[in-house]
Amino acid sequence: MTARPTLAQLAADLTAGRTTSRALVEEALSRIADPAGEGSRVFVKVYADAARVAADAQDRLRGAGYVASPLAGIPVSIKDLFDVAGEVTLAGSKALDDTSPAETDAPIVGRLKAAGAVIVGRTNMTEFAFSGVGINPHYGTPGNPYDRGLIPGGSSAGAPVSVADGMAAVAIGTDTGGSVRIPAGLCGLAGFKPTQYRVPRDGAVPLSTTLDSIGPIGVSAQQPTLTDAVMAGEPPDVPAAVPTPGLRLGVPKTVMLDDLETPVAAAFERTVSALGRAGARVVELPLEMLADYARINIKGGLPVAEAYAWHEKLIERRGDDYDQRIRTRIARGREMTAAEYIRLIEGRAEFIRRFDAETEAFDALVMPTVPMTAPPIAAFTRDEDYARLNLKLLRNTSIINFLDRCALSLPIEPPGTAPVGLMVVGRHGEDRRLLGIGIGIETALEPVRHD
């Protein structure tokens, strides 16, 4: 997998006149159009003409001394879940193709445009964002950049491949149970899930209104940090790296470390040891309460109930046009009663209270993002294997959504090996501090990753 430049490098090149936005966009569009590449599976819609016009506009503005943000002139991809004025938002499905076009851009799309980002296209995804796998029977499945026969992870399947393959410098996805962090982890990239309230979710097709969040994917922690700030309506800067020496890092043992694939366990142990040598105080935590997550969510949890409420009428009208695996998962919501839903909400509040109390002393928690490396696309042929593997892919990340914590996935695999992600989890609402911690950890691990 070819190393890609960071936002800082691209911005510096633009400032110094070593490149232009038009040149960056033309390179991205060339990679998208390459018939030997993944572009036709990564993108469901490409804005080639509009992107060129926007890039030229950013070059003229820069020439006149106007630079809206570090994203100005940078090619960005967006998941096929966000409204763009005048277009039908399909959410990776065929079932919405007869709905009305959006009247306005989703707020995050508007904020990206105002920051000068050049949106090159909409990326492919698991239909209606309801899976951690990334397979889409309607539009194809993008191949993992490490090995094209492997899944990219989902649901933001096209997003990481667009970045890894140089089709965009940053990709915007959504994360309800891990749909930014899973594909970032499986594709060797950095992905960030914010505390839910920070980034507006209007204009995005919902999966679970209680759990949905919007986050970016990039080649390093810097890209998600800058892009998250833009989408949250905050100043577009990078927080100072929090020094690793003295950091109090907790490692949850229950559930999060169960049944790790050998390469994941080895990369994680190597990383934890490196953080300890770098001066972090790493403490293993029993956190036995995490075992209660499965019991609280025994009937499928908030996503099935809230997705069914949104999809009920659409399934009656267009159910045959769904990916039937997704339709089956959504239909489970029919089985949850109002009383069970209320008890689930109450159980979640108590689960959060207990978790906060047991982790209060720590600056962040660290664990594998996904307990396995990316499985082959062929491993998902049978429905029972799809269900089993999907649950495992989602296992660690979905608990963090349930807790509404902010979390960053960082690549930790040795060079030339299958990607493995380290999930760094911060406190609710302390997103910028968590990102500073993540940048510090990424810096501390840099020498170790290339041993």
Side-chain angles (χ1 to χ4, degrees):
M1 194 164 59
T2 304
R4 298 296 174 197
T6 66
L7 273 182
Q9 292 166 334
L10 292 173
D13 287 346
L14 286 166
T15 299
R18 290 187 291 268
T19 191
T20 62
S21 177
R22 180 62 181 263
L24 295 177
V25 166
E26 289 292 356
E27 182 180 1
L29 293 174
S30 175
R31 292 180 184 277
I32 293 170
D34 182 356
E38 294 293 304
S40 63
R41 288 175 289 275
V42 167
F43 284 89
V44 296
K45 186 163 190 177
V46 180
Y47 302 126
D49 292 341
R52 290 185 175 105
V53 170
D56 289 343
Q58 289 302 318
D59 286 334
R60 289 194 296 273
L61 285 168
R62 187 178 295 273
Y66 294 89
V67 181
S69 82
L71 285 180
I74 301 293
V76 174
S77 68
I78 60 172
K79 189 174 182 177
D80 187 34
L81 203 69
F82 301 112
D83 285 349
V84 174
E87 297 182 7
V88 174
T89 306
L90 294 175
S93 181
K94 299 288 190 182
L96 292 174
D97 60 12
D98 59 354
T99 56
S100 299
E103 295 183 3
T104 59
D105 288 344
I108 67 106
V109 173
R111 288 177 178 181
L112 288 167
K113 289 179 178 179
V118 179
I119 298 175
V120 294
R122 293 178 174 271
T123 52
N124 196 2
M125 56 181 283
T126 305
E127 185 181 56
F128 294 118
F130 208 177
S131 161
V133 177
I135 289 174
N136 187 304
H138 308 301
Y139 303 105
T141 300
N144 190 300
Y146 173 72
D147 179 336
R148 300 303 185 188
L150 307 179
I151 63 164
S155 63
S156 306
V161 187
S162 75
V163 172
D165 286 12
M167 302 172 188
V170 182
I172 311 302
T174 60
D175 193 311
T176 303
S179 290
V180 162
R181 290 160 293 153
I182 292 169
L186 296 185
C187 293
L189 299 168
F192 180 61
K193 172 225 166 307
T195 306
Q196 191 197 40
Y197 71 82
R198 288 185 62 255
V199 178
R201 289 159 287 120
D202 310 284
V205 175
L207 173 57
S208 168
T209 51
T210 303
L211 302 177
D212 294 341
S213 59
I214 296 171
I217 294 173
V219 298
S220 70
Q222 180 201 76
Q223 272 91 329
T225 299
L226 280 169
T227 312
D228 167 77
V230 167
M231 294 193 298
E234 299 174 355
D237 52 29
V238 177
V242 176
T244 300
L247 271 184
R248 299 162 298 171
L249 301 177
V251 179
K253 293 186 66 178
T254 303
V255 180
M256 300 294 192
L257 301 185
D258 290 351
D259 192 25
L260 298 181
E261 191 179 89
T262 300
V264 175
F268 182 68
E269 290 167 10
R270 185 169 178 257
T271 296
V272 168
S273 295
L275 291 173
R277 291 195 302 273
R281 289 182 284 165
V282 184
V283 179
E284 290 190 340
L285 303 175
L287 277 177
E288 294 173 358
M289 58 150 295
L290 291 177
D292 291 340
Y293 173 79
R295 174 187 56 77
I296 296 168
N297 290 274
I298 191 64
K299 297 199 73 171
L302 293 163
V304 299
E306 294 176 346
Y308 183 71
W310 192 90
H311 284 269
E312 182 179 13
K313 298 301 182 185
L314 184 60
I315 288 175
E316 289 177 4
R317 188 170 61 84
R318 297 289 302 271
D320 290 345
D321 295 314
Y322 277 57
D323 174 349
Q324 293 309 299
R325 286 171 166 170
I326 302 303
R327 178 180 176 178
T328 298
R329 293 191 73 201
I330 292 171
R332 288 189 65 194
R334 185 189 297 118
E335 303 167 8
M336 189 179 296
T337 67
E340 288 169 331
Y341 180 80
I342 290 168
R343 285 195 291 270
L344 173 57
I345 295 294
E346 293 172 345
R348 182 194 187 211
E350 176 62 12
F351 188 80
I352 291 173
R353 186 197 65 75
R354 292 166 60 198
F355 187 86
D356 288 352
E358 293 195 36
T359 60
E360 185 178 10
F362 294 88
D363 295 300
L365 306 174
V366 292
M367 64 208 75
T369 305
V370 186
M372 67 178 96
T373 57
I377 296 171
F380 294 84
T381 302
R382 299 191 310 166
D383 288 350
E384 55 266 39
D385 292 332
Y386 185 102
R388 173 180 56 82
L389 290 169
N390 182 52
L391 279 175
K392 190 167 183 179
L393 287 165
L394 289 161
R395 188 193 71 194
N396 288 6
T397 53
S398 61
I399 292 175
I400 304 307
N401 290 82
F402 197 66
L403 292 161
D404 198 13
R405 292 292 189 106
C406 51
L408 176 69
S409 181
L410 297 171
I412 58 169
E413 71 280 356
T417 63
V420 175
L422 174 74
M423 183 160 53
V424 186
V425 178
R427 296 191 183 97
H428 175 93
E430 296 188 6
D431 297 54
R432 302 308 283 178
R433 174 166 169 76
L434 181 273
L435 287 163
I437 290 171
I439 292 169
I441 287 175
E442 183 179 66
T443 302
L445 293 178
E446 188 61 27
V448 181
R449 284 198 68 206
H450 296 93
D451 280 353

